[in-house]
């Protein structure tokens, strides 16, 4: 019996494909990861089928590439490095439970942001979300990638908002992380009022090992997520500046004092890409917008919501004044604060905002200390200039972990049809990564070509990760060729 | 049991002769830990497995005296204690222990039976010389600390900079690093600053085989600001809700997360007696509330309304029994309080502290609190208006530690059988269950009568989670009382499990199963997806020689 037939027996023949056109879609993405064709694609319908597939892979020593989001992919983590079977989790798309009192949702990996946020809204809840994720982005996938969201005060840890998971390890064993492990089945736990809120195991936090693993440890079949109360009143603000240092100072103070909800900084290019619909509009906005913009949103909840917004606005005004900044609730250079809030409220409409300007984009992101951010930006610009990269590269700065670190992201737009543009983007990507690593940028989520660079700087972590890999995926069937595995 | 000369001299060469000892009196100082009296076998006999075999250990004929019978506070005496000065010395000690097949156990400030050696024949590593705050980074809000920095020192230094940390209930005299990496401890300020499990960034960690692992940004030389990656986070190996209690090596430096402190940089006090320490001045933009309610449901509703509206710096609760004992400066005073007025204390209450960063924020938060109390029928507990009580309680909660003498002064010993974590729906039910079970043992006269209400705890992260400990006091020198506490531990853990509540204290299971030669995880694991299989594999992968004391983590072989 062929692999395709085996998989068809487990997941239904209609959910297995080796059609060349289909395989081609999974063989490459917008990253610089070398393309590889998978042997076939399977779409399991439940955890039992996922487990069967992983067990089969162990028997046959067959690589599995888990994919939860839809195209376009940007980071190379879902490009098969060694062929094998793509496990597309898009059919596992149930919102299993939403619980208002415990502020939690349980969902499968095929659930996208738009549907989840709509469902949560009906319960008076919301899930803190990354900055305008693409419409096809899996919520669970984003959480497993440790993508930062845009409400720093709710980013309690870099693992947020992920709580418990159900996972099929690479070994083929099914496991529940955190309090979901027991006692009792999930249904029995619900009966006594438990909602799988605590992600912690007794003396291990296995969910942390799954995060950032790029599918190399196992396949998550559901996850619980920490949700927050939907605001009753909101008031967004823009703070323009020609310099980033004073905006960083303001962001630091606001996050430290827990003033405001959403908060991030974009340069004119990134902001133009986020709000502009066409390349022409993006270019115009890039020219019109101030060099840097800090966005923050004030929110009031159930009790005296307007009073909360009012006192925060006054306190922030006082702080901004000291820094020589003006907070603006209306519009800056024609861009309304409310419009930007609306954009951050839902996933991005197609095409994805990072692809709008040139059709392709390479992200370069890392975590930084506050003080090093301006220097990192300068280093990146030097590298871009050296490579004669002329397209406007965007910059996005996101306070994370309640102000204990900053996600810094550069966006390198390029035309995928232009070999020259793509090559120059690649050159900047690699040279800037080296230069940034040398000056203290920490690539905590290194994808494709950066993984080896980053892990080679830390031999002990690499050795420890290999031990962990040996525990959960002893036959190395899960996404081989990624990270250091 | 003695360490052979060759091995002893090697350890001595690492730390210097003034920093190593095998004097029995010194060693017994490490063996003496509160709670040890509980886990010795009733008859004082020890199984062979109580000793860690090594060719570099020799019997001296006094092995029987190492047995710690129930009722004795002496746990296992180490064969030597070494005091390293830095990471390099820790690493050298660990490598030597691996070479000689000797187990080791790190000890910082120590608190309870899990701090000492889990069997005889081990080297205890006392980290008290590593006591420096190496850096306080105000911009990225962390402090780089060594193992012997205690919460109160860290807090005093950080408050000067308008920052604070989550001092745990065990008190300001405990190691901050140990709580964050290796153990646990809940605190009143978990409400706004979370459990210390998540309050860590970079970590320097001497693994059980002697290799040094640096987590996150530290590993690639980028600094202390991140503890996760590259790739999967090895924090998941380092700890869970509890740390490995010494079972996965030695943590030598960490970056502990700090948070905004809106209160004064210093809080001058009068008196040093913990029962009478008073704030000289109540801080600006701060407030203390002690509301009580008709029903548990009203109390819970008020608590979660506060959380969802993100109001308050700490929100915690304390049972009537614990509160009554805490109010007395002496046993006599406390006894009088318990007998005369404790039962008039409100049953369903909580304590809320506001620490605001501006007058506007303070006015807003007060308005919200008043509305919530109005809606839920919360009434002010008059006791808190007594100036001395108000001042003492406020100071305690601002600092976030505890008046730890409460649990020792009555009978000399306490334990926390009723410890559980949960969420909104399980909180009250689990607390009630613990009270019912503890009262059975109070009725038998085997533990101190506190109505079974020795509970205290906190909400985490504005009510997303809760944790509660229900302390039980008992006479540590009475084997019958100790036996009753063990029985109570098993009884309550069994009932919690039967009711499918989440146990908060897996180490209880280790303590009750250990003397029977069984690993607690082999009892709990089958009820929880067989997690012990994975934990055991982690132990074997990272500690191939079982050099790090496995007794409070996991025994390498299934039991």
């Amino acid at each position: 019996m062929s692999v395709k037939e085996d998989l068809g027996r487990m997941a239904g023949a209609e959910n297995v494909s080796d059609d060349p056109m289909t395989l081609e879609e999974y063989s490459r993405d917008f990253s610089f990861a070398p393309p590889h064709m998978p042997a076939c694609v399977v779409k399991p319908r439940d955890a039992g089928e996922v487990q069967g597939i992983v067990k089969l892979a162990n028997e046959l020593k067959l690589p599995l590439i888990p994919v939860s989001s839809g195209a376009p992919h940007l980071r190379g983590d879902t490009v098969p490095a060694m062929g094998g079977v793509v496990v597309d989790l898009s059919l596992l798309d149930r919102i299993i439970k939403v619980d208002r009192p415990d502020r939690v949702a349980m969902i499968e990996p095929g659930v996208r942001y738009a549907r989840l946020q709509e469902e949560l809204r009906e319960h008076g809840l919301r899930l803190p979300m990354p900055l305008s994720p693409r419409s096809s982005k899996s919520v669970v996938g984003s959480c497993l990638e440790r993508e930062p969201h845009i409400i720093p005060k709710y980013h309690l840890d870099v693992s947020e908002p992920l709580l418990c998971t159900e996972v099929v390890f690479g070994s083929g064993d099914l496991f529940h992380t955190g309090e979901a492990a027991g006692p009792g089945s999930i249904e029995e736990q619900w009966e006594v009022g438990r909602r799988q809120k605590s992600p912690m195991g007794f003396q291990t936090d296995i969910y942390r090992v799954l995060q950032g693993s790029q599918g190399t440890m196992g396949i998550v079949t559901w996850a619980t997520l920490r949700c927050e109360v939907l605001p009753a009143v909101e008031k967004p603000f823009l703070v323009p500046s020609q310099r980033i240092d004073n905006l960083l100072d303001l962001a630091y103070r606001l996050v430290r004092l827990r003033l405001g909800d959403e908060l991030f900084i974009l340069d004119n290019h990134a902001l133009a890409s986020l709000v502009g619909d066409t390349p022409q509009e993006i270019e115009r906005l890039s020219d019109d917008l101030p060099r840097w913009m800090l966005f923050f949103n004030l929110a009031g909840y159930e009790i005296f919501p307007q009073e909360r917004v009012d006192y925060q606005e006054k306190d922030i005004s006082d702080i901004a004044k000291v820094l020589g900044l003006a907070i603006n609730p209306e519009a800056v250079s024609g861009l309304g604060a409310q419009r930007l809030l609306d954009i951050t409220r839902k996933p991005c409409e197609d095409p994805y905002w990072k692809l709008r300007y040139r059709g392709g984009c390479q992200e370069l992101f890392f975590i930084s200390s506050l003080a090093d951010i301006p220097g990192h930006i300068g280093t990146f610009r030097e590298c871009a200039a050296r490579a004669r990269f002329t397209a406007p590269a965007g910059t996005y700065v996101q306070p994370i972990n309640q102000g204990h670190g900053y996600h810094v992201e550069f966006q390198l737009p390029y035309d995928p049809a232009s070999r020259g543009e793509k090559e120059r983007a690649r050159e900047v990507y690699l040279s800037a990564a080296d230069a940034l690593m040398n000056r203290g940028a920490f690539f905590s989520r290194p994808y494709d070509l950066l993984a080896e660079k980053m892990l080679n700087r830390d031999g002990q972590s690499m050795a420890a990760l290999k031990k962990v890999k040996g525990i959960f995926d002893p036959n190395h069937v899960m996404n081989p060729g990624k990270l250091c595995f | 049991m003695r360490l052979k000369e060759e091995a002893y001299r090697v350890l001595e060469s690492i730390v210097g002769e003034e920093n190593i000892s095998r004097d029995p009196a010194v060693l017994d100082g490490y063996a003496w830990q509160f709670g040890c009296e509980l886990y010795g076998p009733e008859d004082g006999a020890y199984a062979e497995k109580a000793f860690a075999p090594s060719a570099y250990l020799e019997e001296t004929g006094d092995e029987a005296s190492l047995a710690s019978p129930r009722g004795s506070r002496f746990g296992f005496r180490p064969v030597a204690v070494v005091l390293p000065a830095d990471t390099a010395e820790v690493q050298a000690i660990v490598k030597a222990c691996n070479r000689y097949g000797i187990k080791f156990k790190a000890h910082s400030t120590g608190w309870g039976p899990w701090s000492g050696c889990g069997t005889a024949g081990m080297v205890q590593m006392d980290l008290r010389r590593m006591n420096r705050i190496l850096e306080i980074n105000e911009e990225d809000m962390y402090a780089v600390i060594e193992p012997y920095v205690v919460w109160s020192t860290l807090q005093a230094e950080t408050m000067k900079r308008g920052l604070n940390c989550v001092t745990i209930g065990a008190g300001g005299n405990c190691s901050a690093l140990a709580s964050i990496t290796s153990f646990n401890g809940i605190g009143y300020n978990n409400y706004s600053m979370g459990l210390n499990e998540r309050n860590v960034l970079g970590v320097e960690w001497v693994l059980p085989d002697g290799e040094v692992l640096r987590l996150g940004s530290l590993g690639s030389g980028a600094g202390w600001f991140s503890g996760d990656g590259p790739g999967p986070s090895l924090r998941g190996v380092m700890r869970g809700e509890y740390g490995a209690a010494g079972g996965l090596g030695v943590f030598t430096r960490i970056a502990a997360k700090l948070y905004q402190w809106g209160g004064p940089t210093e809080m001058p006090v009068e008196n040093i007696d913990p029962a009478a320490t008073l704030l000289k001045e109540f801080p600006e933009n701060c407030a203390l509330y002690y509301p009580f309610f008709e029903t548990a449901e009203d109390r819970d509703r008020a608590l979660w309304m506060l959380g969802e509206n993100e109001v308050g710096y700490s929100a915690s609760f304390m049972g009537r029994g614990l509160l009554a004992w805490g109010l007395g400066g002496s046993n006599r005073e406390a006894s009088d309080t318990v007998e005369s007025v404790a039962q008039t204390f409100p049953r369903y209450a909580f304590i809320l502290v506001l620490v605001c960063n501006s007058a506007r924020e303070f006015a807003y938060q007060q308005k919200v609190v008043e509305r919530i109390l109005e809606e839920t029928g919360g009434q002010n507990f008059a006791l808190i208006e007594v100036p001395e009580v108000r001042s003492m309680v406020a100071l305690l909660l601002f600092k976030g530690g505890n008046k730890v003498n409460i649990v020792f002064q009555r009978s000399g010993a306490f334990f926390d059988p009723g410890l559980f974590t949960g969420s909104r729906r399980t909180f009250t039910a689990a607390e009630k269950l613990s009270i019912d079970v503890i009262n059975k043992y109070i009725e038998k006269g085997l533990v101190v009568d506190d109505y079974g209400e020795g509970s205290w705890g906190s909400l985490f992260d504005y009510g997303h989670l809760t944790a509660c400990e229900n302390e039980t006091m008992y006479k540590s020198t009475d084997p019958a009382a100790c036996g009753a506490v063990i029985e109570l531990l098993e009884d309550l853990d069994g009932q919690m499990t039967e009711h499918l509540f989440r146990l908060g204290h897996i180490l209880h299971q280790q303590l009750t199963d250990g003397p029977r030669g069984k690993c607690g995880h082999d009892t709990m694991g089958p009820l929880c997806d067989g997690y012990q299989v994975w934990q055991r594999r982690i132990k074997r992968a990272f500690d191939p020689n079982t050099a790090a004391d496995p007794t409070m983590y996991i025994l390498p072989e299934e039991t």
Side-chain angles (χ1 to χ4, degrees), chain B residues 98-120:
Chain B
N98 273 273
R99 192 180 318 134
Y100 295 119
I102 310 267
K103 297 190 194 317
F104 64 89
K105 171 80 171 224
H107 178 289
S108 46
T109 47
W111 173 256
W114 26 79
S115 309
C117 295
T119 59

Side-chain angles (χ1 to χ4, degrees), chain A residues 99-103 146 153-154 156-158 169 171 173-176 178-184 188-189 192-195 197-213 216-217 226-229 252 255-258 301-305 307-308 310-311 314-315 318 367-372 401-406 437 440-446 454-455 457-458 460-461 464-465 467-468 471-472 483 485, chain B residues 138-142 161-163 192-193 195 197-198 201 207 209 211-217 219-220 222 225-226 228-245 257-261 304-305 307-311 357-358 360-361 364-365 367-368 371-372 375 421 423-426 460-465 497 499-503 506-507 510 521 524 527-531 534-535 537-538 541-542 552-554:
Chain A
D99 188 283
R100 170 64 183 82
D102 271 314
R103 290 178 271 171
R146 293 199 304 254
K153 72 171 181 179
Y154 293 141
L156 312 175
D157 196 340
V158 291
F169 291 133
S171 62
D173 296 283
L174 184 82
F175 187 72
H176 297 95
E179 72 160 308
E188 288 169 335
Q189 291 175 25
V192 299
R194 290 171 58 189
R195 293 292 181 269
K197 279 295 294 282
S198 173
M200 299 175 283
F202 286 123
Q203 288 180 298
T204 56
D205 275 349
I206 290 174
Y207 76 106
R208 293 189 188 279
V209 172
L210 302 175
Q211 285 187 299
S213 71
T216 60
M217 297 292 172
R226 190 196 309 266
C227 302
E228 301 294 347
V229 174
Y252 161 70
V255 173
R256 176 168 167 173
L257 295 169
R258 295 188 189 171
Y301 310 116
E302 291 183 343
I303 301 176
F304 303 126
E307 282 90 333
R308 182 184 178 91
D310 291 344
Y311 98 74
K314 286 174 184 157
D315 277 5
D318 289 349
I367 298 177
S368 173
S369 64
L370 178 65
D372 282 340
N401 205 359
Q402 295 188 321
H404 300 92
Y406 293 78
M437 284 178 197
F442 178 53
F443 289 70
S444 69
R445 304 187 288 134
M454 196 66 219
L455 281 153
R457 288 173 179 254
D458 185 2
Q460 277 302 331
S461 284
L465 287 173
K467 287 178 186 172
V468 173
I471 291 168
F472 296 108
L483 293 167
F485 308 128
Chain B
E138 292 181 54
E139 287 186 335
D140 295 314
M141 295 190 286
Y142 64 76
R161 294 158 173 85
L163 294 165
S192 59
M193 296 189 271
L195 191 65
E197 180 264 354
R198 74 166 167 86
L201 300 170
L207 294 171
D209 62 2
E211 295 301 316
V212 179
L213 177 64
R214 294 180 176 88
L215 299 189
S217 48
S220 55
F225 54 84
S226 173
D228 304 84
S233 175
L234 292 165
R235 282 171 62 195
V237 172
M238 179 176 87
R239 68 167 300 153
E241 184 166 357
Y242 275 74
K257 280 161 73 173
L258 305 171
Y259 296 90
Q260 166 67 13
W261 163 248
W304 271 278
M305 285 171 78
E308 291 187 356
N309 285 280
E310 297 172 20
V311 163
N357 299 303
S358 72
R360 294 187 193 107
E361 182 182 13
Y364 168 75
Q365 292 210 3
K367 193 172 171 185
V368 174
R371 166 61 69 86
I372 291 171
E375 278 191 25
T421 53
S423 48
R424 186 167 178 166
R425 288 183 177 85
T426 56
F460 300 170
D461 302 321
Y462 295 110
H464 273 291
L465 286 173
T497 305
H499 285 77
L500 304 182
F501 293 137
R502 164 84 166 169
L503 288 184
I506 186 61
L507 299 184
Q510 300 285 63
H521 292 296
M524 280 305 297
L527 302 172
C528 299
D529 258 6
Y531 73 86
W534 306 104
Q535 188 171 330
R537 287 179 189 170
I538 288 170
F542 283 85
M552 289 297 160
Y553 184 53
I554 192 163

Side-chain angles (χ1 to χ4, degrees), chain B residues 147-418:
Chain B
Y148 213 78
V149 173
V150 298
W151 287 114
S152 56
T153 307
L154 180 61
Q155 184 174 61
E157 291 304 316
T158 56
M159 277 186 172
K160 289 175 190 169
R161 294 158 173 85
L163 294 165
N164 199 4
C165 50
V166 184
T167 303
I168 61 170
N173 56 332
C174 288
S175 159
L177 178 144
S179 165
I180 290 172
T181 61
S182 304
F183 202 66
N184 192 357
I186 56 174
Y188 299 112
N189 293 333
N190 293 140
Y191 179 72
S192 59
M193 296 189 271
L195 191 65
N196 281 323
E197 180 264 354
R198 74 166 167 86
N199 284 331
V200 67
L201 300 170
V203 174
E204 182 179 76
W205 175 4
V206 179
L207 294 171
D209 62 2
E211 295 301 316
V212 179
L213 177 64
R214 294 180 176 88
L215 299 189
S217 48
L218 191 63
S220 55
W224 292 92
F225 54 84
S226 173
D228 304 84
S233 175
L234 292 165
R235 282 171 62 195
V237 172
M238 179 176 87
R239 68 167 300 153
E241 184 166 357
Y242 275 74
L248 277 180
V250 187
F251 299 93
T252 47
R253 292 186 296 173
I254 61 164
K257 280 161 73 173
L258 305 171
Y259 296 90
Q260 166 67 13
W261 163 248
T265 54
E266 288 183 4
M267 287 183 287
V269 295
E270 294 171 9
N271 306 323
I272 57 168
D273 173 0
T277 309
L278 304 175
L279 280 166
K280 280 188 174 169
E281 194 176 338
F282 202 87
E284 199 180 4
N285 296 332
C286 298
L288 177 68
Y289 295 85
Y290 202 147
F292 68 92
F293 303 82
E294 286 290 315
T295 65
E297 290 71 26
D298 287 339
R299 175 193 66 176
D300 296 353
R301 195 158 61 92
L303 271 171
W304 271 278
M305 285 171 78
L306 287 166
E308 291 187 356
N309 285 280
E310 297 172 20
V311 163
Y313 193 71
S314 77
S316 57
F317 46 90
M318 186 172 276
R320 291 182 299 179
L322 199 58
L323 176 64
W325 285 113
L327 289 173
S330 66
N331 262 346
R332 177 177 291 278
E333 283 176 22
S335 274
D336 288 348
T337 310
V338 170
E339 285 166 21
S340 58
V341 296
Q343 282 196 314
T344 66
F345 289 175
R347 171 70 187 84
Y348 304 112
F350 64 80
I351 313 168
L352 174 73
V353 172
L354 307 185
V355 178
C356 298
N357 299 303
S358 72
R360 294 187 193 107
E361 182 182 13
F362 186 51
Y364 168 75
Q365 292 210 3
Q366 283 184 306
K367 193 172 171 185
V368 174
V369 172
E370 280 154 21
R371 166 61 69 86
I372 291 171
L373 296 183
E374 193 181 305
E375 278 191 25
T376 54
Q379 301 174 60
N380 199 30
F381 182 20
L383 183 68
I384 209 65
E385 297 306 329
V386 176
E388 292 77 12
V389 174
R390 180 179 174 75
S391 180
M392 183 185 78
V393 173
L395 180 62
L396 177 83
L397 295 173
F398 289 147
K399 290 182 172 179
N402 239 339
K403 191 165 167 274
V404 184
N405 62 321
I406 300 175
V407 287
F408 289 107
Q409 76 180 34
R410 176 65 183 93
S411 60
F414 90 104
F415 218 69
D416 52 357

Side-chain angles (χ1 to χ4, degrees), chain B residues 46-58:
Chain B
Y46 265 88
E48 273 186 26
K49 62 179 60 173
F51 300 93
S54 164
Y56 288 87
L57 290 173
E58 53 194 1

Side-chain angles (χ1 to χ4, degrees), chain A residues 184-247:
Chain A
S185 67
I186 299 301
E187 291 75 15
E188 288 169 335
Q189 291 175 25
W190 287 343
E191 276 293 305
V192 299
R194 290 171 58 189
R195 293 292 181 269
Q196 298 78 46
K197 279 295 294 282
S198 173
M200 299 175 283
F202 286 123
Q203 288 180 298
T204 56
D205 275 349
I206 290 174
Y207 76 106
R208 293 189 188 279
V209 172
L210 302 175
Q211 285 187 299
S213 71
Q214 299 179 24
T216 60
M217 297 292 172
I219 298 177
V220 171
T221 51
W222 58 249
T224 50
L225 308 171
R226 190 196 309 266
C227 302
E228 301 294 347
V229 174
L230 201 61
V233 174
E234 291 179 282
K235 189 170 183 181
F237 291 83
L238 295 170
V239 189
S241 175
Q242 291 306 114
R243 297 168 19 222
I244 192 171
D245 53 351
N246 52 3
L247 293 187

Side-chain angles (χ1 to χ4, degrees), chain A residues 129-147:
Chain A
M129 193 168 65
L131 180 59
S132 195
R134 64 183 197 267
S135 59
S136 58
K137 186 72 187 180
S138 155
V139 180
V140 172
S142 172
C143 293
L144 287 170
E145 288 185 67
R146 293 199 304 254
E147 285 191 327

Side-chain angles (χ1 to χ4, degrees), chain A residues 6-120:
Chain A
D6 279 334
L7 292 171
R9 191 168 37 81
M10 287 175 191
E14 70 281 13
N15 293 318
V16 182
S17 172
D18 58 0
D19 167 53
M21 295 282 282
T22 305
L23 300 185
E24 171 67 22
E25 288 171 17
Y26 289 94
S27 71
R28 62 179 71 238
D29 67 6
F30 279 101
S31 75
F32 299 118
H36 276 283
M37 290 285 273
C40 61
V41 178
V42 58
K43 294 185 176 181
R45 293 161 296 191
D46 59 35
E49 291 181 1
V50 171
Q51 192 173 23
I53 293 164
V54 177
K55 285 184 174 173
L56 177 71
N58 273 271
E59 280 171 30
L60 303 178
K61 304 292 182 287
L62 188 66
L64 296 179
I65 303 94
V67 179
S68 49
S69 302
H73 296 278
L74 277 79
R75 295 170 186 161
D77 50 328
T78 57
V79 174
M82 300 178 184
V85 174
V86 168
V87 184
D88 184 324
L89 302 165
S90 56
L91 297 184
L92 277 79
D93 63 351
R94 291 181 305 151
I95 296 173
I96 300 169
K97 189 178 263 302
V98 173
D99 188 283
R100 170 64 183 82
D102 271 314
R103 290 178 271 171
V104 65
M106 178 187 276
I107 61 168
E108 292 185 327
V111 174
R112 316 290 197 234
Y113 278 104
R115 186 156 70 92
L116 178 61
Q117 296 289 32
E118 192 181 328
E119 177 85 18
L120 289 174

